[in-house]
Amino acid sequence: MNAVTPINPASGSLTMSSREIAELTGKNHRDVMRDARVMFEQLALVERKFASYYTASNGKRNLCFKLPKDLTITLVAGYRADLRHRIVTRWLELEEEKQSTALALPDFSNPAAAARAWADEVEAKEKAQALVTYAQEVVEKLEPYARVGRLAVDR
């Protein structure tokens, strides 16, 4: 996708850049940046906390945002379903890539290590399910606003 690393070096958490969101959704990067700024304002978040830079093909250093999963999903919740689906699919890929690089098989001959591995897996599944539930709730809450926006555009 994008040459920008999906791992935030400061926290080690996964992020998705506004450039990648634009790529995946077919939107202009400046429009994704505008949408992100509106979201930051509505959520009372500090924009610079998510600011990053990339070097364009012309050598110019440009601003972009690196968003964690919850903000990426919140940002695209007002976008069309096919665009949201591309973002969710990419997040699943990122998480799978991170898990496969960090995953080491536990020593199953050691009952304590096996129990820890099982508990970690259960906790990870619970967190993933909680994120899915949260994302569904956000989409349901924002869907009426997306409909209103589409009606205004159709006029």
mmCIF file of all heavy atoms in Angstrom, residues 73 77-78 84 132-147:
data_model
loop_
_atom_site.group_PDB
_atom_site.id
_atom_site.type_symbol
_atom_site.label_atom_id
_atom_site.label_comp_id
_atom_site.label_asym_id
_atom_site.label_seq_id
_atom_site.Cartn_x
_atom_site.Cartn_y
_atom_site.Cartn_z
ATOM 1 N N ILE A 73 -11.832 4.192 11.992
ATOM 2 C CA ILE A 73 -13.203 3.720 11.803
ATOM 3 C C ILE A 73 -14.194 4.864 12.006
ATOM 4 O O ILE A 73 -15.151 5.012 11.256
ATOM 5 C CB ILE A 73 -13.506 2.531 12.733
ATOM 6 C CG1 ILE A 73 -12.677 1.316 12.292
ATOM 7 C CG2 ILE A 73 -14.991 2.185 12.735
ATOM 8 C CD1 ILE A 73 -12.689 0.151 13.246
ATOM 9 N N ALA A 77 -16.750 6.280 9.100
ATOM 10 C CA ALA A 77 -18.118 5.832 9.387
ATOM 11 C C ALA A 77 -19.149 6.566 8.533
ATOM 12 O O ALA A 77 -20.201 6.019 8.237
ATOM 13 C CB ALA A 77 -18.439 6.008 10.868
ATOM 14 N N GLY A 78 -18.840 7.778 8.116
ATOM 15 C CA GLY A 78 -19.765 8.530 7.269
ATOM 16 C C GLY A 78 -19.571 8.267 5.785
ATOM 17 O O GLY A 78 -20.315 8.782 4.968
ATOM 18 N N ARG A 84 -15.970 1.959 3.585
ATOM 19 C CA ARG A 84 -15.749 1.498 4.964
ATOM 20 C C ARG A 84 -15.213 0.073 4.964
ATOM 21 O O ARG A 84 -14.312 -0.263 5.730
ATOM 22 C CB ARG A 84 -17.052 1.571 5.772
ATOM 23 C CG ARG A 84 -17.534 2.972 6.051
ATOM 24 C CD ARG A 84 -18.651 2.994 7.088
ATOM 25 N NE ARG A 84 -19.752 2.101 6.828
ATOM 26 C CZ ARG A 84 -20.892 2.459 6.240
ATOM 27 N NH1 ARG A 84 -21.076 3.700 5.837
ATOM 28 N NH2 ARG A 84 -21.860 1.588 6.065
ATOM 29 N N VAL A 132 -15.182 -4.382 17.461
ATOM 30 C CA VAL A 132 -16.196 -4.576 16.418
ATOM 31 C C VAL A 132 -17.537 -4.033 16.901
ATOM 32 O O VAL A 132 -18.226 -3.317 16.169
ATOM 33 C CB VAL A 132 -16.305 -6.069 16.028
ATOM 34 C CG1 VAL A 132 -17.532 -6.337 15.181
ATOM 35 C CG2 VAL A 132 -15.051 -6.521 15.291
ATOM 36 N N THR A 133 -17.898 -4.345 18.132
ATOM 37 C CA THR A 133 -19.153 -3.855 18.701
ATOM 38 C C THR A 133 -19.160 -2.333 18.745
ATOM 39 O O THR A 133 -20.143 -1.695 18.357
ATOM 40 C CB THR A 133 -19.362 -4.429 20.117
ATOM 41 O OG1 THR A 133 -19.358 -5.861 20.029
ATOM 42 C CG2 THR A 133 -20.662 -3.956 20.728
ATOM 43 N N TYR A 134 -18.049 -1.748 19.180
ATOM 44 C CA TYR A 134 -17.940 -0.287 19.238
ATOM 45 C C TYR A 134 -18.083 0.307 17.837
ATOM 46 O O TYR A 134 -18.820 1.278 17.641
ATOM 47 C CB TYR A 134 -16.599 0.118 19.851
ATOM 48 C CG TYR A 134 -16.308 1.592 19.737
ATOM 49 C CD1 TYR A 134 -16.976 2.513 20.535
ATOM 50 C CD2 TYR A 134 -15.382 2.068 18.819
ATOM 51 C CE1 TYR A 134 -16.728 3.872 20.432
ATOM 52 C CE2 TYR A 134 -15.132 3.425 18.702
ATOM 53 C CZ TYR A 134 -15.801 4.320 19.515
ATOM 54 O OH TYR A 134 -15.548 5.658 19.393
ATOM 55 N N ALA A 135 -17.396 -0.274 16.860
ATOM 56 C CA ALA A 135 -17.460 0.235 15.487
ATOM 57 C C ALA A 135 -18.889 0.159 14.952
ATOM 58 O O ALA A 135 -19.367 1.086 14.292
ATOM 59 C CB ALA A 135 -16.502 -0.534 14.590
ATOM 60 N N GLN A 136 -19.578 -0.940 15.243
ATOM 61 C CA GLN A 136 -20.962 -1.083 14.796
ATOM 62 C C GLN A 136 -21.855 -0.015 15.445
ATOM 63 O O GLN A 136 -22.719 0.565 14.786
ATOM 64 C CB GLN A 136 -21.490 -2.477 15.124
ATOM 65 C CG GLN A 136 -20.866 -3.556 14.261
ATOM 66 C CD GLN A 136 -21.195 -4.962 14.736
ATOM 67 O OE1 GLN A 136 -21.510 -5.184 15.894
ATOM 68 N NE2 GLN A 136 -21.099 -5.921 13.829
ATOM 69 N N GLU A 137 -21.629 0.253 16.728
ATOM 70 C CA GLU A 137 -22.406 1.276 17.417
ATOM 71 C C GLU A 137 -22.157 2.658 16.813
ATOM 72 O O GLU A 137 -23.090 3.440 16.614
ATOM 73 C CB GLU A 137 -22.069 1.294 18.914
ATOM 74 C CG GLU A 137 -22.572 0.082 19.663
ATOM 75 C CD GLU A 137 -22.026 0.003 21.088
ATOM 76 O OE1 GLU A 137 -21.255 0.898 21.513
ATOM 77 O OE2 GLU A 137 -22.368 -0.971 21.772
ATOM 78 N N VAL A 138 -20.888 2.941 16.508
ATOM 79 C CA VAL A 138 -20.544 4.235 15.910
ATOM 80 C C VAL A 138 -21.212 4.374 14.549
ATOM 81 O O VAL A 138 -21.804 5.414 14.237
ATOM 82 C CB VAL A 138 -19.012 4.393 15.786
ATOM 83 C CG1 VAL A 138 -18.656 5.577 14.905
ATOM 84 C CG2 VAL A 138 -18.381 4.530 17.157
ATOM 85 N N VAL A 139 -21.141 3.326 13.742
ATOM 86 C CA VAL A 139 -21.759 3.374 12.416
ATOM 87 C C VAL A 139 -23.261 3.581 12.549
ATOM 88 O O VAL A 139 -23.842 4.406 11.836
ATOM 89 C CB VAL A 139 -21.435 2.086 11.619
ATOM 90 C CG1 VAL A 139 -22.290 1.996 10.365
ATOM 91 C CG2 VAL A 139 -19.954 2.053 11.252
ATOM 92 N N GLU A 140 -23.903 2.869 13.466
ATOM 93 C CA GLU A 140 -25.351 3.027 13.664
ATOM 94 C C GLU A 140 -25.709 4.445 14.103
ATOM 95 O O GLU A 140 -26.680 5.016 13.630
ATOM 96 C CB GLU A 140 -25.860 2.018 14.702
ATOM 97 C CG GLU A 140 -25.896 0.595 14.184
ATOM 98 C CD GLU A 140 -26.233 -0.420 15.272
ATOM 99 O OE1 GLU A 140 -26.667 -0.015 16.378
ATOM 100 O OE2 GLU A 140 -26.050 -1.620 15.019
ATOM 101 N N LYS A 141 -24.882 5.023 14.982
ATOM 102 C CA LYS A 141 -25.163 6.379 15.457
ATOM 103 C C LYS A 141 -24.944 7.412 14.353
ATOM 104 O O LYS A 141 -25.641 8.421 14.298
ATOM 105 C CB LYS A 141 -24.278 6.718 16.653
ATOM 106 C CG LYS A 141 -24.702 6.020 17.923
ATOM 107 C CD LYS A 141 -23.787 6.366 19.073
ATOM 108 C CE LYS A 141 -24.181 5.599 20.329
ATOM 109 N NZ LYS A 141 -23.246 5.824 21.427
ATOM 110 N N LEU A 142 -23.964 7.172 13.485
ATOM 111 C CA LEU A 142 -23.626 8.160 12.459
ATOM 112 C C LEU A 142 -24.383 7.963 11.155
ATOM 113 O O LEU A 142 -24.395 8.851 10.311
ATOM 114 C CB LEU A 142 -22.121 8.136 12.199
ATOM 115 C CG LEU A 142 -21.254 8.585 13.369
ATOM 116 C CD1 LEU A 142 -19.785 8.440 13.029
ATOM 117 C CD2 LEU A 142 -21.558 10.014 13.762
ATOM 118 N N GLU A 143 -25.018 6.821 10.979
ATOM 119 C CA GLU A 143 -25.731 6.537 9.729
ATOM 120 C C GLU A 143 -26.775 7.596 9.382
ATOM 121 O O GLU A 143 -26.842 8.027 8.230
ATOM 122 C CB GLU A 143 -26.373 5.147 9.787
ATOM 123 C CG GLU A 143 -26.992 4.705 8.485
ATOM 124 C CD GLU A 143 -25.989 4.537 7.350
ATOM 125 O OE1 GLU A 143 -24.837 4.187 7.623
ATOM 126 O OE2 GLU A 143 -26.377 4.774 6.197
ATOM 127 N N PRO A 144 -27.577 8.085 10.337
ATOM 128 C CA PRO A 144 -28.542 9.135 9.978
ATOM 129 C C PRO A 144 -27.857 10.388 9.427
ATOM 130 O O PRO A 144 -28.371 11.026 8.520
ATOM 131 C CB PRO A 144 -29.259 9.448 11.298
ATOM 132 C CG PRO A 144 -29.065 8.223 12.137
ATOM 133 C CD PRO A 144 -27.747 7.645 11.731
ATOM 134 N N TYR A 145 -26.694 10.732 9.962
ATOM 135 C CA TYR A 145 -25.966 11.903 9.477
ATOM 136 C C TYR A 145 -25.432 11.664 8.068
ATOM 137 O O TYR A 145 -25.413 12.571 7.246
ATOM 138 C CB TYR A 145 -24.818 12.262 10.420
ATOM 139 C CG TYR A 145 -25.303 12.604 11.805
ATOM 140 C CD1 TYR A 145 -25.127 11.714 12.862
ATOM 141 C CD2 TYR A 145 -25.952 13.810 12.055
ATOM 142 C CE1 TYR A 145 -25.590 12.018 14.133
ATOM 143 C CE2 TYR A 145 -26.417 14.131 13.317
ATOM 144 C CZ TYR A 145 -26.229 13.229 14.353
ATOM 145 O OH TYR A 145 -26.687 13.541 15.599
ATOM 146 N N ALA A 146 -25.009 10.453 7.789
ATOM 147 C CA ALA A 146 -24.523 10.122 6.451
ATOM 148 C C ALA A 146 -25.669 10.224 5.451
ATOM 149 O O ALA A 146 -25.486 10.715 4.338
ATOM 150 C CB ALA A 146 -23.914 8.717 6.433
ATOM 151 N N ARG A 147 -26.864 9.778 5.845
ATOM 152 C CA ARG A 147 -28.027 9.869 4.970
ATOM 153 C C ARG A 147 -28.362 11.330 4.677
ATOM 154 O O ARG A 147 -28.632 11.706 3.556
ATOM 155 C CB ARG A 147 -29.233 9.168 5.589
ATOM 156 C CG ARG A 147 -29.260 7.695 5.286
ATOM 157 C CD ARG A 147 -30.598 7.085 5.658
ATOM 158 N NE ARG A 147 -30.290 5.970 6.535
ATOM 159 C CZ ARG A 147 -30.628 5.880 7.812
ATOM 160 N NH1 ARG A 147 -31.333 6.798 8.385
ATOM 161 N NH2 ARG A 147 -30.279 4.826 8.510
#
